[in-house]
Each structure stands twice: as structure tokens, then as C-alpha cells.
Amino acid sequence: MHVAKAERAAETRERILAAACEVIAEVGFEKIRMRMVAEHAGVSTALLHYHFESRERLFAEAMTHSFGQTGTALERDADTVPASVILARILHHMLPTGPELRQDWRLWQELWVRALRDETAQRLAVDLYDQLHTWLSQVIRRGIDAGEFTDCDVDEVSTLLLALGDGFGIRLMLDDPRIDLAAAQAAVWRAVAGTLGVPDTFPEI
């Protein structure tokens, strides 16, 4: 009985977080109201407040939820494919390559704006970037250990990849006519291919 209740609570929480991601991405954090998220999730406002006491808390957990969903999607066959493929998948998911990732990018953009003025949001942004950095670093080290990548400064390469992902991602979100997804992915890969000692063509993922 208690297990079933806990499972229902977890499912409700997941539904609320998914709804929050969609609503925040659509209208922006400053315009969001808890009632809007409750209606979108199909729950009462009271139940929403039971799980999340404030919209700031809801925003922080929605960001973490969005980040975690991407990580889960990339874990498939991660131990059986080359490190270069895993790295290419991560880079692909760091760019707004489809509707879900464009939604994630809108959330990131909301976080950037809040982080400039709010210390809690700033700490959250830095923590998520640290997780991304670790994620990239682990894959690069795995490639080095397997002899697939040339030995290099892993932290430096990871930092460069994050910076390039942000830069190209912003331009893709703006529908800048000078850049498209294929060109962005190719440019990011070429920037590190020589350092990693791999072909400069973006891998099949």
C-alpha cells in the first residue's frame, strides 16, 4: 500500500516537472504562475504546492529534471560503442537539435537570465555546467584510456566544447541564417578532432 502511494507521488511529481518545463519554456519564468503549471499537469494548485513550495523551487527542480532526462537518454549502449560516438552524441544533445532540445535550450536561457541577478540560480547554473564538464571529461578520458583518443588536457578540451556548444546553440536558437545544425556540429568537432587525434568528420551517432 505504501509502495503504491509512493509510486503515485513520484509519478505526480514527474508529471508536474514535465509540465513546468513546457510552461517555463513557452512563457518564461517571469510570467509563470503556479496555477498555470498545475492546470498543464492536470493537478490541483494545492497538490502542486505540496510538492513544490515556491515557483523558484519548481524552476530549480525543473532544470535539474530536464538535465537528467537528457543524461538518461544518452546512457543507452554507452559501454559498447566507441568513445567518439558517445562524445558526438553529447555534442549533438548540447545543441538545439529538435523540439525537445529546443525546449531545454529555452530553459537554459531562462536560467542564464536569472543567474545574473539571483545567487541561487547562479549556483544552480554553475553546478549544472560542472556536471556537463564532468560528463564530457569522463568520455574523453575513456577514449584516451582505450587508445582511441590522443592524450590531451581533458579539462581544457571539455571547457572548449562547452563554450562552443553555447555559442553555436545561441545562434541556432536565433535561427541565424549564417549557421545551421550540420555546420555547427562540424565546426565543433573540427575544433577538437586534431587534439583528440581523430578524423575531423562528425561521427555517425
Side-chain angles (χ1 to χ4, degrees):
M1 193 69 152
H2 291 302
V3 173
K5 185 176 180 180
E7 288 177 350
R8 285 197 302 273
E11 290 172 359
T12 299
R13 189 179 181 85
E14 285 290 306
R15 191 162 74 250
I16 291 171
L17 288 171
C21 289
E22 293 173 8
V23 175
I24 294 168
E26 181 178 349
V27 305
F29 177 78
E30 294 305 322
K31 293 183 179 179
I32 196 174
R33 297 294 179 267
M34 297 291 267
R35 173 182 52 79
M36 297 165 63
V37 176
E39 290 176 354
H40 198 68
V43 301
S44 67
T45 305
L47 183 58
L48 176 60
H49 278 285
Y50 171 78
H51 286 281
F52 305 97
E53 68 275 13
S54 68
R55 66 181 192 142
E56 288 76 14
R57 182 66 181 174
L58 177 60
F59 176 70
E61 296 215 25
M63 283 297 309
T64 303
H65 172 79
S66 173
F67 184 91
Q69 292 294 104
T70 300
T72 300
L74 289 172
E75 286 175 358
R76 59 176 169 65
D77 66 12
D79 294 329
T80 59
V81 299
S84 58
V85 173
I86 300 299
L87 182 59
R89 287 178 183 172
I90 294 174
L91 298 178
H92 179 82
H93 278 73
M94 282 169 54
L95 296 171
T97 52
E100 290 184 3
L101 288 167
R102 287 186 74 87
Q103 175 179 291
D104 288 348
W105 258 87
R106 291 190 186 98
L107 293 176
W108 272 100
Q109 290 171 316
E110 291 293 324
L111 179 60
W112 288 339
V113 172
R114 284 189 55 72
L116 295 174
R117 301 179 179 87
D118 179 83
E119 187 176 335
T120 300
Q122 186 265 343
R123 288 197 300 269
L124 174 61
V126 171
D127 179 63
L128 291 178
Y129 269 116
D130 186 61
Q131 292 182 53
L132 272 171
H133 187 99
T134 299
W135 197 10
L136 287 166
S137 297
Q138 287 175 341
V139 175
I140 295 169
R141 287 196 179 95
R142 174 189 155 190
I144 293 171
D145 291 343
E148 186 180 344
F149 296 156
T150 302
D151 194 14
C152 61
D153 187 325
V154 175
D155 284 337
E156 184 177 278
V157 173
S158 299
T159 298
L160 175 61
L161 288 172
L162 283 173
L164 290 170
D166 281 348
F168 280 112
I170 290 169
R171 295 182 68 181
L172 290 170
M173 287 296 291
L174 294 173
D175 294 321
D176 186 332
R178 290 183 176 272
I179 194 73
D180 61 22
L181 174 60
Q185 288 188 159
V188 172
W189 191 261
R190 282 197 305 270
V192 298
T195 301
L196 296 178
V198 295
D200 62 6
T201 302
F202 195 84
E204 290 287 334
I205 59 174

